[in-house]
């Protein structure tokens, strides 16, 4: 009878684990975790390759429960084989560029260089400020994306981009703020891929953070706000997005929401439990010479917005941080700083 040798058993187990390789051909998340080498002789450490699958919103660690073959096929079919080339054979290429909130001084260096190129075709919508457009040296085409005709204007933008690519030009699709922060930038990337080109994406300064800053509103402040939530006022097909429940130490920043401000405030009070006296600030045309900041509460901010005829582009900030840095001198209706004009307090 063979006697039990724990050291021999341990060596065999380590050698077995070292040679394991848990992997599958269709993997989305991959973690290479090295096995710690053993001090015992005749053992050799190799990495154990762990994979995870994603099916909708569920993740499956491969070491425990992998999806079946049908699920793998479905996942693989939904993922493109590869991205298209960054340019067409005729030299046509496309850049998706963030313009920042509106002040030319807040353009990135990369953005400024692209806008200074006389050979570029720059395609914008009405939200890009005139101050930014004044920097452009090449051809500019501007689509008026007003409520009710936004999809028509978007299709016009796509047609212009396609035309420029066919002509072998460098097309710069210039968007306010950052293209990927409620700017439907991802949607445009998918559409541009249908044209046979993968756009270069250049980030911009998002109004979600820069607009409050320019209005002396810190989105976080110790003992006042320890979390920030970014929301849009308009979901797909003009729907209203779900609201975040009220938390006293929370700041909520809304982009593209001034058009339905009254409806938004009513729902935040009735459905999300926001107190009527929750401070609200609206920063209109952040960074531009005519920037205005209107401050009120959940109860009266919609009336103030109508009174002062607040228009897009505007950023709405909800939470106690709105009043952290404001003083009585800010509420006189006169310019107190290059980027601030608080017109009325609630």
């Amino acid at each position: 009878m063979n006697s039990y040798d724990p050291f021999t058993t341990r060596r065999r187990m380590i050698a077995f684990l070292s040679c394991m390789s848990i992997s599958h051909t269709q993997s989305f998340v991959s973690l290479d975790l090295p096995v710690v080498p053993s001090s015992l002789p005749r053992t050799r450490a190799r990495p154990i390759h762990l994979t995870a699958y994603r099916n909708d919103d569920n993740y499956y660690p491969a070491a425990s429960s992998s999806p079946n073959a049908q699920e793998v096929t479905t996942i693989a079919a939904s993922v493109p084989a590869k991205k298209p080339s960054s340019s067409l054979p005729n030299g046509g290429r496309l850049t998706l560029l963030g313009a920042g909130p509106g002040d030319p001084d807040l353009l990135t260096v990369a953005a400024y260089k692209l806008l200074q190129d006389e050979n570029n075709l720059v395609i914008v919508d009405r939200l890009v400020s005139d101050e930014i457009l004044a920097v452009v040296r090449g051809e500019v085409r501007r689509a008026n994306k007003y409520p009710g005709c936004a999809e028509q204007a978007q299709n016009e933008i796509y047609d212009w981009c396609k035309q420029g690519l066919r002509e072998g030009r460098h097309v710069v699709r210039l968007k306010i703020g950052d293209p990927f922060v409620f700017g439907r930038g991802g949607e445009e990337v998918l559409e541009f891929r249908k044209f046979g080109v993968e756009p270069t994406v250049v980030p911009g300064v998002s109004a979600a953070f820069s607009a409050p800053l320019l209005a002396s509103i810190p989105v976080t402040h110790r003992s006042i706000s320890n979390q920030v939530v970014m929301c849009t006022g308009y979901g797909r097909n003009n729907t209203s997005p779900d609201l975040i429940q009220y938390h006293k130490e929370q700041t909520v920043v809304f982009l593209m929401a001034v058009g339905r401000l009254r409806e938004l405030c009513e729902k935040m009070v009735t459905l999300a439990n926001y107190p009527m006296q929750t401070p609200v600030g609206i920063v209109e045309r952040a960074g531009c010479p005519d920037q205005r900041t209107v401050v009120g509460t959940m109860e009266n901010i919609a009336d103030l917005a109508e009174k002062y005829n607040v228009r897009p582009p505007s950023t709405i900030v909800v939470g106690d941080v709105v009043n952290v840095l404001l003083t009585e001198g800010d509420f006189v209706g006169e310019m107190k700083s290059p980027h601030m004009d608080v017109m009325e307090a609630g």
Side-chain angles (χ1 to χ4, degrees), residues 89 240 289 307:
S240 296
K307 176 180 179 180

Side-chain angles (χ1 to χ4, degrees), residues 28-41:
F28 286 86
V29 181
S30 176
L31 300 174
D32 286 320
L33 303 179
V35 176
V36 179
S38 171
S39 60
L40 296 176

Side-chain angles (χ1 to χ4, degrees), residues 52 58 177 209 242 251 264 276 280:
N58 299 315
F209 299 117
D242 294 336
T251 303
L264 181 64
M276 295 290 285
V280 182

Side-chain angles (χ1 to χ4, degrees), residues 21-334:
S21 179
I22 307 174
S23 62
H24 296 271
T25 56
Q26 301 294 336
S27 62
F28 286 86
V29 181
S30 176
L31 300 174
D32 286 320
L33 303 179
V35 176
V36 179
S38 171
S39 60
L40 296 176
R42 295 193 304 276
T43 60
R44 183 172 58 186
R46 293 182 181 178
I48 294 181
H49 186 65
L50 301 180
T51 63
Y53 292 88
R54 190 171 84 174
N55 181 25
D56 294 329
D57 294 326
N58 299 315
Y59 289 82
Y60 299 90
S64 57
S65 58
S66 301
N68 58 40
Q70 183 178 1
E71 290 172 336
V72 172
T73 302
T74 302
I75 296 172
S78 64
V79 178
K82 63 178 181 179
K83 297 177 181 178
S85 174
S86 59
S87 63
L88 299 179
N90 65 358
R93 57 195 177 103
L94 199 149
T95 297
L96 188 60
L97 178 62
D103 186 346
D105 288 341
L106 297 179
L107 286 169
T108 64
V109 174
Y112 182 80
K113 290 180 178 179
L114 286 168
L115 298 182
Q116 285 286 290
D117 191 329
E118 296 180 351
N119 297 317
N120 290 344
L121 169 61
V122 181
I123 298 176
V124 303
D125 53 55
R126 70 183 180 90
L127 294 178
V128 177
S129 70
D130 292 336
E131 290 76 17
I132 295 291
L133 294 181
V135 178
V136 180
R137 298 183 64 183
E139 179 186 353
V140 177
R141 298 181 188 178
R142 190 172 195 173
N144 292 318
K145 295 180 66 174
Y146 290 100
C149 62
E151 290 304 318
Q152 179 181 350
Q154 187 66 41
N155 290 331
E156 185 177 37
I157 288 172
Y158 289 146
D159 289 340
W160 286 340
C161 291
K162 187 182 299 184
Q163 179 183 349
L165 290 171
R166 287 174 175 172
E167 295 172 354
R169 304 180 67 178
H170 183 183
V171 180
V172 177
R173 172 66 175 106
L174 183 63
K175 301 178 70 68
I176 190 172
D178 184 277
F180 282 4
V181 182
F182 297 123
R184 68 190 298 173
E187 296 178 32
E188 294 196 4
V189 169
L190 294 175
E191 188 67 23
F192 295 147
R193 286 178 178 177
K194 297 177 183 178
F195 303 164
V197 64
E198 180 71 15
T200 299
V201 182
V202 179
V205 179
S206 174
F209 299 117
S210 60
L213 182 151
L214 293 170
S216 295
I217 300 176
V219 292
T220 64
H221 192 85
R222 284 197 295 178
S223 78
I224 301 296
S225 175
N226 55 29
Q227 54 186 291
V228 183
V229 179
M230 290 189 298
C231 300
T232 177
Y234 293 85
R236 193 171 183 86
N237 298 323
N238 206 30
T239 58
S240 296
D242 294 336
L243 296 174
I244 303 298
Q245 289 294 309
Y246 173 75
H247 187 287
K248 182 172 178 59
E249 294 189 5
Q250 173 180 271
T251 303
V252 184
V253 180
F254 286 95
L255 300 179
M256 302 181 297
V258 70
R260 55 173 44 161
L261 179 60
R262 188 175 299 279
E263 174 190 352
L264 181 64
C265 290
E266 291 174 353
K267 289 185 175 181
M268 293 184 75
V269 171
T270 58
L271 301 179
N273 301 309
Y274 278 75
M276 295 290 285
Q277 296 307 310
T278 303
V280 182
I282 307 176
V283 187
E284 180 187 46
R285 292 179 53 78
C288 297
D290 56 346
Q291 173 183 314
R292 300 188 300 174
T293 304
V294 179
V295 176
T297 65
M298 195 68 67
E299 182 178 20
N300 66 6
I301 191 64
D303 293 332
L304 293 174
E306 290 183 2
K307 176 180 179 180
Y308 292 111
N309 195 30
V310 175
R311 292 287 180 266
S314 293
T315 303
I316 302 171
V317 187
V318 179
D320 290 339
V321 292
V322 170
N323 293 327
V324 166
L325 299 183
L326 299 182
T327 65
E328 292 183 3
D330 292 318
F331 294 88
V332 297
E334 298 177 359

